[in-house]
Amino acid sequence: MNYWEDPGPGYGVLPPRAAVRSDAPRLSLNGQWRFRLSPSVGATGFEEVDFDDSEWDWLPVPSSWPMHGHGSPAYTNQKYPFPVDPPYVPDENPTGDHRLVFELPSEWSGSTVLRFDGVDSCARVWLNGVELGVTRGSRLPAEFAVGGVLRPGRNVLAVRVHQWSSGSYLEDQDMWWLPGIFRDVTLIARPVDADVFVHADYVDGAGVLMVESAPGAVVRIPSLDVVVPCGETVTIPGIEPWSAEVPRLYDAVVELPGERVELRIGFRTVEIVDGVLRVNGRRVLFHGVNRHEHDPVFGRAVPAERMREELLVMKRHNINAIRTSHYPPDTRLLELCDELGFWVMDECDYESHGFMLIDWKGNPADDPRFLDASLDRMRRTVERDKNHPSVIMWSLGNEAGVGSNLTAMAEWTRDRDPSRPLHYEGDLSCADVDVYSRMYASHAEVEAIGKRAEKPLEDPALDARRRAMPFVLCEYSHAGGNGPGGLPEYEALFDTYERCQGGFLWEWMEHGILRADGSYGYGGDFGEELHDGTYVLDGLVFPDLTPQPVLAEVRKVYEPVRLSVAGDVLTITNRYDVLDTSHLSLHWEIADEGEVVARGPLTLPVIPAGRSATVQLPDLPPLQNRERWLTIRAVLTNTTPWAPACHELASTQTQLNAPGGQPRGEWVGTPQSPGRAHSLGGRAGDLLLGPGRFDGRTGRLVGLGGWAIAHVPLELWRAPTQHDARTWDATTLDRKTRWANAGLDRLRYRTIAVEPYDDALTVVTMVGAAATDARVQTTYTWRTDGARLTAEVDVEPLGEWMVPWARLGVTFGVPAGFHGLTWFGLGPGQAYPDSRSAAQIGRYTSTIDDFQVPYLYPQENGARADVRWAELSGPAGKLRLTGDPHFALTVRRWTIADLAAAEHPADLTPGDRVWITLDALQHGLGSPTSGAPILPPHDLQPRRHRFRFSLG
């Protein structure tokens, strides 16, 4: 059997140990290497010291070679991109040969290891022509003993990397396939058997420390005056515990023979008590994300500064936890998690999802041939990351079915490190783990689990064991494109049921790959034989870490203090796990129709975690006959390592009046100067009403003042979102298909009546699609005050409607010479019925271009909800739109059909009109990609509705 197809873990690799920082001499071998890519495995010989590689290309290491023009990226979610025949892979196996000539410093001496922190997917290594061994397990380190092979001066390192190997069957994660030496390569002069295992518990206000290491080693913590031999337990009073909210670290040194290992120790205890996961005795709530390692330029070779920036953006948006989906991350990320404060679920590099497509036949998780490789991957995960206080849970892997190998991994881990609970979602019996986990459970299922009333298992003992476990959503609320919706409802369940301890959103980042033209590519853009298209675009941030609109929603839903106003009293609820509120300040602001009229500070009492308090609001300015809103914000008092002073963590907004007790809208009531609709001279059949000109045959508005207008009397469809185009349940059709089958994207209009009156124009239109009798009767009643038009619209569904509507609105096309946009309503970002928590009522200004959300796959976007009025401006003049009481507004330089037809942002070309859609109702966004149905209040079922608007 070929070594790359051997189902074992490899050979020649040293036993795994902790990743540490030490004073041992080290030589980074990162840099420019010689590189040759072959379409399949060829003969060796390149490993010889005198091999001539002068004709080879140069390639930076670390790198993913497809990101540098050698081959192409390929994206699949579940499918293996090769025949499923474990442990074998095709002869067409891209193979990258790497060579590096380096000089060993003259002062170098002693035992030496060569460390690879990550090679995808299988590497065979030679030094100075001597084979060192073979490693598999792409996201895991491998060390080789090289002390007897190194030479003074010139040395030659040769590495053959295969894209496909037996290890690929265990690495079928939802991600790009990107082979290469993608993490650091380092030569380290340290003992091959030196290891350190820190046990640092927090018990009754004291730290309990024991460090395992080599005989004779000593641990020192200068700030605590601790000096203790390794292997001995010491209790240290007055310790500050580590948590994600207060990440207190103590600098320590372990003195080994010939080496000093530097550690940052965090004292904390993780335990499950009465079915609740607790850290340092307190229940924790995971406001988490799943994080893949990805850089749009470098692929898997993620720069350290980008890792830090990722975590800073997370902290600023109230994210406190990370699941390392679906493999251990670069160890530098865990160092940052220790420092900045995150709860981490550290996941083994283990997934065989593609076997689900063949009913799990031959699944490696239950194949004895893969036992050693399975255990090796878990060992290397635990041993590398065991000293990180941020890691509070081990995960066996992801979507690997069930099997005896997973059981063996769990048994080994529990024996090696009983201080952390075990996680694995793929076995619903939870026989091998300590936490009940589900992915994409609906709100109803989460509530049942919260009540410990979930569907029972057949085995009563297993059922009782699982029912006593804490519950975590390891994945929920899939964030593909515009969405998800329903986050506040999940959070309410976490707050209600102690057992439900939050979860990890799918996922953190869009995995777009930057192309030469500046656009981002996704699955199928690189000539893949098989791919899963836009499914790789599923993050809370764009590939450049710019937040998507949903991240503001996440920040609001995850806010660590909850503010609410009743009368003249503010209630503050501290939702932190640990912190009190002494680091926060409160500020209030009054705005009349979006214009701030008063502001000031509020005294915030010190509220312990989990408690509430009230504050009396100050006397406010006298009410005006304008809509008034009170906004209160909780902000950081001082600068932190992750955000500046005054950074907002939470807010609330309350309306203080409705002016005059009347519905909102300038034009409500009887028109002041009714005008008569009459024939317009020079164009037979046209009708005039105030500033409006109407087609006498269809009744559509065709002119407003001096502007030519295009008018779509009724819109029921939107450019499908990524969630609209998918469904979790293969037995049901996605919304995009159902809407297409119902013809919502191809409506036709039949005029029934155009009736002018002295002061009004009534137009009745029947709207329907080919091949169906489901239709909508739409009645417009137009009036004018002489300067503006007002429309009352009555929409009545007829026939049998079998699908919900995407929206209920009207569209106008106006001249392209509008650029600016001001509105009074929800903002500053977009808001949809089930994703609007972050939006606040105010007066906002934007350009039409900035009004759009540049999703990498174009789709419905940018709606501002609850708009009372909006004004467009530019060379064409000014156009004011008003709702009664309000509408949702989208403004674009392309039609809905143009948006739906585009596959990349570059496909959207501005035309000769600006298209304005005023929606009375909208369908929610939901997260059907991941099985969470849209909740009933946001499911736009066909029904009769009346709405009004004005323009002029």
Side-chain angles (χ1 to χ4, degrees):
M1 177 178 288
N2 296 317
Y3 67 85
W4 59 89
E5 294 176 320
D6 187 306
Y11 56 85
V13 180
L14 291 169
R17 56 181 171 174
V20 297
R21 296 184 180 274
S22 80
D23 66 352
R26 62 179 55 222
L27 178 65
S28 173
L29 301 183
N30 295 348
Q32 293 294 320
W33 293 39
R34 285 293 188 177
F35 177 76
R36 175 185 65 186
L37 179 63
S38 303
S40 61
V41 183
T44 56
F46 78 98
E47 73 278 9
E48 298 299 332
V49 172
D50 58 356
F51 180 84
D52 182 6
D53 60 16
S54 60
E55 298 300 317
W56 288 17
D57 295 323
W58 290 102
L59 179 73
V61 171
S63 68
S64 298
W65 74 59
M67 305 300 288
H68 296 268
H70 302 283
S72 298
Y75 167 64
T76 60
N77 170 28
Q78 298 175 348
K79 308 165 190 171
Y80 287 104
F82 48 79
V84 182
D85 182 21
Y88 305 105
V89 295
D91 294 339
E92 295 84 4
N93 187 358
T95 296
D97 291 331
H98 303 67
R99 279 175 55 91
L100 175 71
V101 177
F102 66 93
E103 291 288 323
L104 189 70
S106 58
E107 65 274 14
W108 195 277
S109 64
S111 175
T112 302
V113 298
L114 173 65
R115 182 181 177 92
F116 293 86
D117 279 298
V119 184
D120 189 339
S121 74
C122 173
R124 188 179 182 187
V125 184
W126 295 264
L127 181 60
N128 294 326
V130 177
E131 183 179 4
L132 300 179
V134 167
T135 178
R136 282 181 285 276
S138 297
R139 267 62 66 175
L140 294 160
E143 289 185 337
F144 299 92
V146 297
V149 185
L150 276 174
R151 300 173 180 173
R154 185 177 185 270
N155 288 264
V156 178
L157 177 60
V159 185
R160 169 161 282 186
V161 179
H162 306 289
Q163 176 159 13
W164 310 126
S165 70
S166 63
S168 302
Y169 285 100
L170 300 177
E171 296 174 5
D172 188 31
Q173 293 99 338
D174 174 7
M175 61 185 183
W176 293 98
W177 297 92
L178 290 172
I181 304 172
F182 66 95
R183 289 184 185 158
D184 292 341
V185 184
T186 314
L187 204 64
I188 313 172
R190 65 182 309 233
V192 297
D193 58 351
D195 195 16
V196 176
F197 190 173
V198 175
H199 305 269
D201 296 327
Y202 180 73
V203 181
D204 298 329
V208 180
L209 177 69
M210 194 275 283
V211 178
E212 296 180 50
S213 192
V218 175
V219 59
R220 299 179 184 273
I221 308 178
S223 64
L224 298 175
D225 294 325
V226 169
V227 180
V228 62
C230 290
E232 292 188 12
T233 299
V234 59
T235 299
I236 311 167
I239 285 293
E240 298 178 59
W242 186 97
S243 71
E245 294 168 5
V246 186
R248 180 66 166 95
L249 296 170
Y250 293 88
D251 291 326
V253 173
V254 176
E255 296 176 349
L256 293 155
E259 180 185 28
R260 287 168 54 91
V261 171
E262 299 171 355
L263 298 171
R264 306 198 76 192
I265 295 176
F267 292 88
R268 53 105 186 97
T269 297
V270 186
E271 55 189 346
I272 295 173
V273 180
D274 297 329
V276 176
L277 178 67
R278 302 179 189 273
V279 181
N280 302 329
R282 300 191 65 90
R283 172 187 184 256
V284 297
L285 182 58
F286 297 119
H287 288 144
V289 293
N290 284 271
R291 178 192 177 270
H292 265 298
E293 293 211 307
H294 177 74
D295 183 279
V297 176
F298 303 115
R300 300 216 176 288
V302 181
E305 59 272 18
R306 179 179 171 90
M307 295 180 206
R308 177 176 284 273
E309 185 58 30
E310 287 183 62
L311 298 188
L312 294 180
V313 177
M314 290 182 196
K315 292 286 285 190
R316 292 167 190 154
H317 288 83
N318 296 330
I319 292 166
N320 71 0
I322 297 171
R323 178 184 179 216
T324 67
S325 56
H326 299 291
Y327 41 80
D330 189 306
T331 190
R332 292 172 295 183
L333 184 97
L334 295 181
E335 293 175 358
L336 290 169
C337 289
D338 294 342
E339 172 194 330
L340 295 171
F342 286 90
W343 309 118
V344 176
M345 179 192 290
D346 197 357
E347 194 149 86
C348 184
D349 190 3
Y350 200 88
E351 180 169 339
S352 57
H353 201 180
F355 284 86
M356 186 186 73
L357 303 177
I358 56 172
D359 297 324
W360 297 107
K361 291 181 295 186
N363 183 21
D366 202 34
D367 184 339
R369 296 177 298 172
F370 283 90
L371 173 61
D372 289 345
S374 301
L375 283 170
D376 175 72
R377 286 167 182 259
M378 198 67 208
R379 286 192 190 104
R380 290 158 73 187
T381 300
V382 172
E383 298 293 3
R384 192 198 75 164
D385 296 341
K386 61 197 173 193
N387 294 330
H388 290 285
S390 59
V391 175
I392 64 167
M393 199 182 312
W394 300 117
S395 178
L396 303 179
N398 182 67
E399 294 176 322
V402 297
S404 58
N405 295 341
L406 289 162
T407 300
M409 293 162 67
E411 290 173 349
W412 180 89
T413 305
R414 190 170 280 112
D415 181 68
R416 178 61 170 148
D417 180 25
S419 72
R420 294 174 172 99
L422 296 186
H423 167 273
Y424 176 66
E425 187 272 345
D427 181 1
L428 293 182
S429 76
C430 298
D432 297 319
V433 297
D434 305 302
V435 174
Y436 180 24
S437 176
R438 291 279 289 110
M439 56 174 66
Y440 306 117
S442 67
H443 298 84
E445 183 181 356
V446 171
E447 182 164 30
I449 293 170
K451 295 176 178 178
R452 302 189 189 271
E454 64 265 30
K455 183 179 178 181
L457 297 170
E458 292 183 2
D459 185 320
L462 281 177
D463 182 67
R465 181 176 179 274
R466 190 184 75 174
R467 207 173 293 275
M469 290 179 175
F471 175 71
V472 172
L473 281 163
C474 67
E475 296 178 22
Y476 78 112
S477 291
H478 194 283
N482 192 356
L487 287 177
E489 291 83 357
Y490 274 117
E491 192 69 12
L493 294 170
F494 304 155
D495 286 341
T496 301
Y497 300 104
E498 187 180 44
R499 182 191 191 189
C500 296
Q501 296 192 239
F504 302 84
L505 298 169
W506 188 266
E507 66 168 308
W508 170 238
M509 187 193 314
E510 303 269 75
H511 293 205
I513 289 179
L514 188 64
R515 299 191 288 184
D517 63 359
S519 66
Y520 289 102
Y522 50 79
D525 284 340
F526 300 95
E528 301 101 307
E529 181 181 49
L530 291 175
H531 66 85
D532 285 294
T534 62
Y535 210 70
V536 78
L537 305 179
D538 51 11
L540 303 176
V541 296
F542 288 107
D544 64 356
L545 302 184
T546 300
Q548 297 213 52
V550 68
L551 191 56
E553 181 84 354
V554 168
R555 185 179 74 169
K556 175 62 179 172
V557 171
Y558 283 178
E559 59 189 11
V561 293
R562 191 70 35 91
L563 309 174
S564 61
V565 174
D568 58 355
V569 174
L570 170 69
T571 299
I572 308 108
T573 301
N574 183 351
R575 303 179 70 235
Y576 280 109
D577 298 326
V578 176
L579 277 175
D580 62 27
T581 56
S582 58
H583 64 297
L584 300 178
S585 301
L586 289 177
H587 298 276
W588 62 270
E589 181 178 279
I590 295 290
D592 290 348
E593 200 169 318
E595 295 181 342
V596 176
V597 296
R599 55 166 56 99
L602 277 176
T603 300
L604 175 61
V606 177
I607 308 170
R611 305 293 294 275
S612 297
T614 59
V615 172
Q616 186 75 27
L617 294 177
D619 292 335
L620 303 177
L623 289 171
Q624 305 295 321
N625 190 30
R626 296 200 297 172
E627 188 175 331
R628 169 168 288 186
W629 286 82
L630 166 67
T631 304
I632 301 175
R633 296 182 172 88
V635 303
L636 290 173
T637 303
N638 300 308
T639 295
T640 72
W642 47 269
C646 296
H647 170 77
E648 181 181 311
L649 292 176
S651 66
T652 190
Q653 195 175 50
T654 303
Q655 186 175 358
L656 299 182
N657 72 327
Q662 297 294 326
R664 305 180 190 95
E666 294 182 354
W667 54 272
V668 173
T670 304
Q672 296 177 357
S673 304
R676 177 180 177 80
H678 58 277
S679 295
L680 179 66
R683 291 186 58 179
D686 279 3
L687 300 171
L688 284 180
L689 182 66
R693 187 173 73 247
F694 297 82
D695 185 294
R697 182 180 61 83
T698 65
R700 296 196 190 191
L701 181 66
V702 295
L704 183 66
W707 302 313
I709 302 291
H711 177 201
V712 182
L714 184 67
E715 296 278 17
L716 302 178
W717 182 64
R718 69 186 181 202
T721 68
Q722 287 169 239
H723 287 297
D724 290 337
R726 301 187 184 121
T727 178
W728 179 260
D729 185 353
T731 67
T732 62
L733 296 175
D734 58 74
R735 289 195 297 257
K736 177 182 178 181
T737 302
R738 295 175 67 202
W739 290 341
N741 290 345
L744 298 192
D745 59 338
R746 48 184 174 83
L747 297 177
R748 297 293 181 263
Y749 305 86
R750 176 173 63 87
T751 304
I752 295 176
V754 179
E755 300 177 351
Y757 299 96
D758 287 345
D759 61 352
L761 175 66
T762 298
V763 180
V764 183
T765 305
M766 191 65 70
V767 183
T772 175
D773 68 349
R775 51 200 191 281
V776 181
Q777 181 170 294
T778 305
T779 302
Y780 277 76
T781 301
W782 291 95
R783 292 186 174 86
T784 185
D785 63 1
R788 301 170 58 77
L789 288 175
T790 69
E792 297 185 26
V793 186
D794 184 299
V795 175
E796 182 179 6
L798 304 173
E800 188 174 6
W801 281 92
M802 304 299 291
V803 299
W805 293 340
R807 66 182 349 133
L808 193 158
V810 300
T811 293
F812 297 98
V814 300
F818 291 101
H819 302 299
L821 181 62
T822 299
W823 75 98
F824 176 46
L826 285 178
Q830 66 180 27
Y832 287 83
D834 55 351
S835 183
R836 53 185 282 152
S837 299
Q840 294 184 336
I841 295 294
R843 185 180 300 205
Y844 302 100
T845 299
S846 175
T847 65
I848 292 173
D849 293 336
D850 289 343
F851 210 61
Q852 317 310 309
V853 179
Y855 290 114
L856 304 191
Y857 182 79
Q859 58 200 278
E860 166 62 33
N861 75 88
R864 271 56 171 187
D866 291 3
V867 174
R868 281 73 165 149
W869 57 258
E871 188 172 273
L872 279 70
S873 60
K878 290 187 177 181
L879 172 62
R880 190 174 176 90
L881 313 163
T882 310
D884 180 18
H886 42 67
F887 51 78
L889 173 69
T890 57
V891 184
R892 305 185 178 108
R893 297 195 180 278
W894 36 78
T895 66
I896 296 173
D898 292 337
L899 185 60
E903 295 187 349
H904 295 88
D907 299 333
L908 293 167
T909 304
D912 60 357
R913 292 184 184 274
V914 167
W915 296 92
I916 304 165
T917 299
L918 311 180
D919 285 319
L921 300 171
Q922 290 181 320
H923 197 280
L925 299 173
S927 186
T929 298
S930 52
I934 290 182
L935 297 174
H938 314 307
D939 187 13
L940 181 51
Q941 294 298 321
R943 61 183 176 88
R944 187 170 187 178
H945 189 72
R946 295 184 178 91
F947 59 97
R948 295 196 289 180
F949 62 88
S950 74
L951 62 167

